């Protein structure tokens, strides 16, 4: 969570090895968490000039999503899950694509299939590491978006109880509760997420809220 120090380290990494694209991806993520999306976008463009990379496309998709450019975001995430430029076995990339497709008219069915792909890839990981609470938190959110209220509630409650000081887990629980018509619980978790430092910018650009 020390994003300023992380930024410095990733910039030094790029200076040391300018063709290592993961440093560009990580630097852009650190900048996003500091509400510096314009700078993050420049860094991603620099990284993509080095070579196409799924992580870079994922971060690009997140920035465009936060700006409401769902069509552009979907294109970036489609690259991220492609076999030529990304990784079609990465559950989080499928979930990001699904999130974006939800807001493009006529792509709702594609969105649901992408969520199913994400859940199917995540399921064996969660079964093999049941104590990995981040996985449980994400599965709870995907369940909510697939309309499975019981699973969404169970996994979200488990994740929050296990790691109550994790802002990301609190935020995912808030979205899961809102999607399953549990407004009071959603507001409670959203308040906790803000208090724990979840960026206001990312809250304000989440269309489900």
């Amino acid at each position: 969570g020390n994003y300023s120090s992380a930024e410095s380290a990733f910039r030094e990494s790029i200076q040391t090895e300018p063709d290592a694209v993961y440093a560009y991806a990580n630097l852009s993520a650190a900048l996003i968490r500091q509400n510096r999306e314009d700078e993050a976008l420049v860094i991603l463009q620099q990284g993509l000039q080095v070579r196409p990379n799924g992580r870079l496309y994922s971060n690009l998709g997140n920035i465009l999503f936060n700006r409401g450019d769902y069509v552009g975001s979907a294109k970036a995430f489609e690259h991220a899950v492609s076999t030529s430029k990304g990784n079609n076995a990465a559950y989080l990339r499928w979930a990001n694509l699904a999130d974006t497709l939800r807001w493009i008219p006529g792509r709702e069915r594609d969105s649901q299939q992408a969520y199913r792909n994400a859940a199917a890839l995540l399921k064996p990981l969660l079964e093999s590491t049941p104590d990995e609470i981040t996985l449980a938190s994400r599965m709870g959110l995907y369940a909510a978006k697939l309309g499975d209220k019981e699973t969404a509630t169970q996994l979200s409650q488990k994740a929050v109880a296990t790691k109550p000081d994790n802002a990301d887990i609190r935020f995912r629980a808030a979205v899961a509760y809102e999607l399953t018509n549990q407004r009071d619980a959603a507001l409670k978790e959203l308040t906790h997420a803000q208090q724990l430092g979840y960026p206001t910018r990312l809250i304000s650009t989440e269309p489900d809220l």
Side-chain angles (χ1 to χ4, degrees):
N2 187 345
Y3 299 116
S4 178
S5 295
E7 175 189 347
S8 298
F10 292 136
R11 288 191 185 278
E12 183 176 350
S13 178
I14 290 173
Q15 291 176 352
T16 302
E17 195 172 359
D19 63 344
V21 294
Y22 288 122
Y24 294 90
N26 291 335
L27 175 56
S28 70
L31 291 170
I32 290 171
R33 283 303 181 120
Q34 296 176 79
N35 295 315
R36 294 158 61 189
E37 286 190 351
D38 289 341
E39 294 175 67
L41 190 57
V42 171
I43 293 298
L44 289 172
Q45 291 169 338
Q46 291 174 356
L48 287 169
Q49 288 175 357
V50 175
R51 75 176 65 88
N53 177 270
R55 189 174 297 182
L56 293 174
Y57 280 119
S58 290
N59 289 8
L60 175 61
N62 284 327
I63 289 178
L64 296 177
F65 182 88
N66 291 338
R67 294 183 171 188
D69 181 1
Y70 301 127
V71 173
S73 178
K75 289 180 179 178
F77 287 132
E78 284 168 348
H79 285 313
V81 299
S82 70
T83 55
S84 59
K85 297 181 179 179
N87 180 359
N88 69 350
Y91 75 88
L92 187 55
R93 296 179 187 180
W94 280 107
N96 287 336
L97 175 59
D99 285 342
T100 303
L101 292 174
R102 285 184 70 214
W103 306 103
I104 301 176
R107 303 297 302 274
E108 294 85 356
R109 183 174 297 179
D110 294 333
S111 172
Q112 288 289 291
Q113 183 58 55
Y115 281 128
R116 286 191 287 270
N117 290 347
L121 289 167
L122 179 55
K123 183 178 179 181
L125 299 177
L126 185 58
E127 289 175 345
S128 63
T129 55
D131 294 331
E132 181 52 65
I133 296 304
T134 294
L135 299 183
S137 171
R138 292 189 185 281
M139 185 65 93
L141 180 58
Y142 304 160
K145 293 187 176 184
L146 287 168
D148 185 349
K149 180 177 180 178
E150 181 179 354
T151 300
T153 301
Q154 177 185 359
L155 291 177
S156 295
Q157 288 177 343
K158 176 183 177 180
V160 168
T162 304
K163 287 191 174 181
D165 295 330
N166 186 297
D168 292 308
I169 285 175
R170 291 280 193 174
F171 181 73
R172 283 192 288 270
V175 177
Y177 288 140
E178 176 64 15
L179 288 171
T180 53
N181 300 312
Q182 302 178 75
R183 174 65 56 83
D184 289 343
L187 291 173
K188 176 184 176 181
E189 295 304 333
L190 191 59
T191 298
H192 284 302
Q194 283 185 297
Q195 292 171 343
L196 291 168
Y198 198 86
T200 301
R201 165 70 175 163
L202 298 184
I203 294 173
S204 66
T205 57
E206 171 53 62
D208 280 315
L209 299 179

